[in-house]
Amino acid sequence: MALFKQHATHKSLLFMRNGIIVFVLLAFALATLFPIYFMVISSFGDPVEAGAASYTLWPSKFTLASYRFFFDYSEYSYRWLGNSLIVAACVTVSNVIFASLAGYAFSKIRFKGRNVLFAMLLCAMMIPYQVTQVPLYILIVNIFQMENTYTALIVPSLVTVYNIFLSKQFISSIPTEIIESAKVEGCSQLHIYFRIILPLSKTVMAVMAILTFMESWNTFFWPFLVTNTMDMQTIQVGLKSFRFANTTYFAPMMAGATISAVPMFILFFSLQKYFLEGVTVGAVKG
């Protein structure tokens, strides 16, 4: 800021500074958008041409044959999309409900051991994801024998520590006086949660919904571990069926990836207003 003020009157320095900023931002934007562009543009390529590993930034001809190939290739193509939608929707709804309940309890309800329990959750959040996969797999598959079921796909992600932390931090900013007034009027904890906390927490719940849905939809490793039949695979796992030892149906795979990205774009742009408010909110609106 001091450097900006010092050279604010030098037009040449301002022009150079703005030029560097624009160049860096454009570089980041291109690096971010290029994989999406390559995925979409490759999906319109000819399946035979792509099967021969002819990767180009602009196909020789545009066709929807790869999309037809994707749906005709396997009888489970629609089932993969349906499985992903069921799993992601259930995980998103459960995370929003349970994380907001836990966040309310940790921020506004005083009980013995609250701080210790929350500190343990924060420590659990720091454990790498890969470390927990083996014991979780043994628990789900060998002990509870839930392999190849929706339960195995959904239960381990019912609620995440990150969402609890996010919800707790947001609800802590809600004035306690509002809750105390509600208690004086005779409201129970559930009434306070549904009538006061939920309406005031729309922004953070939208953030949790978008981030959780995207993470669950894109997850590959866990569905790959706990499913062993094609009818229970999600779209991310099903796409690997287009790859073989000697060749890859690249264009149909990109067509499937493009189709799988559509729900995320719809969700993000439909909740974009709440998402932007959620990441910038600094005060509670009454």
Side-chain angles (χ1 to χ4, degrees):
M1 181 60 72
L3 184 64
F4 173 77
K5 291 181 178 178
Q6 183 180 356
H7 299 289
T9 57
H10 295 77
K11 292 185 178 180
S12 59
L13 290 177
L14 284 175
F15 180 78
M16 183 181 299
R17 185 205 62 180
N18 293 338
I20 293 173
I21 292 174
V22 170
F23 177 78
V24 172
L25 292 177
L26 283 176
F28 275 110
L30 287 174
T32 303
L33 294 176
F34 179 76
I36 300 175
Y37 163 79
F38 188 66
M39 175 185 72
V40 175
I41 208 70
S42 299
S43 67
F44 291 105
D46 187 74
V48 177
E49 175 187 345
S54 176
Y55 306 124
T56 60
L57 295 180
W58 194 261
S60 58
K61 67 176 183 179
F62 283 85
T63 175
L64 295 177
S66 295
Y67 288 88
R68 289 194 295 270
F69 188 99
F70 169 76
F71 287 111
D72 294 338
Y73 176 74
S74 173
E75 59 179 315
Y76 301 108
S77 297
Y78 292 99
R79 182 68 182 264
W80 296 336
L81 290 168
N83 290 341
S84 289
L85 188 61
I86 292 172
V87 173
C90 292
V91 169
T92 301
V93 172
S94 67
N95 267 271
V96 171
I97 294 175
F98 294 138
S100 58
L101 281 170
Y104 171 60
F106 279 119
S107 61
K108 298 299 181 184
I109 300 177
R110 294 184 177 181
F111 56 90
K112 191 174 182 179
R114 181 182 68 170
N115 294 332
V116 175
L117 184 58
F118 188 67
M120 291 173 63
L121 287 177
L122 292 182
C123 292
M125 190 169 63
M126 299 174 189
I127 299 175
Y129 173 78
Q130 292 77 7
V131 174
T132 62
Q133 294 306 289
V134 173
L136 187 60
Y137 176 81
I138 294 173
L139 191 67
I140 293 293
V141 175
N142 295 345
I143 298 179
F144 293 112
Q145 298 182 348
M146 295 190 298
E147 186 180 14
N148 213 38
T149 63
Y150 286 115
T151 306
L153 292 168
I154 295 172
V155 167
S157 304
L158 279 178
V159 62
T160 63
V161 179
Y162 175 76
N163 283 333
I164 294 175
F165 173 76
L166 189 66
S167 178
K168 188 260 183 186
Q169 293 304 107
F170 182 86
I171 296 176
S172 296
S173 65
I174 297 176
T176 307
E177 289 77 8
I178 299 176
I179 299 173
E180 295 297 333
S181 300
K183 289 181 181 178
V184 171
E185 295 294 330
C187 288
S188 63
Q189 293 292 355
L190 282 179
H191 279 88
I192 294 173
Y193 171 76
F194 283 109
R195 296 187 178 183
I196 297 177
I197 300 300
L198 282 186
L200 294 176
S201 305
K202 289 180 180 177
T203 53
V204 72
M205 293 173 75
V207 173
M208 285 193 294
I210 292 174
L211 297 180
T212 304
F213 187 89
M214 292 175 65
E215 182 182 359
S216 178
W217 186 273
N218 289 323
T219 297
F220 172 81
F221 190 58
W222 181 250
F224 179 71
L225 280 179
V226 297
T227 57
N228 52 26
T229 59
M230 295 189 71
D231 63 312
M232 285 304 300
Q233 292 177 350
T234 59
I235 181 62
Q236 306 300 339
V237 180
L239 287 177
K240 71 177 178 56
S241 303
F242 292 84
R243 183 174 184 179
F244 303 93
N246 298 323
T247 187
T248 300
Y249 290 121
F250 186 72
M253 182 187 289
M254 291 296 105
T258 303
I259 293 171
S260 71
V262 171
M264 289 189 296
F265 287 125
I266 294 175
L267 180 68
F268 177 79
F269 287 111
S270 62
L271 298 177
Q272 184 182 19
K273 175 185 174 183
Y274 295 107
F275 180 78
L276 294 177
E277 289 180 1
V279 297
T280 58
V281 67
V284 177
K285 298 178 180 178

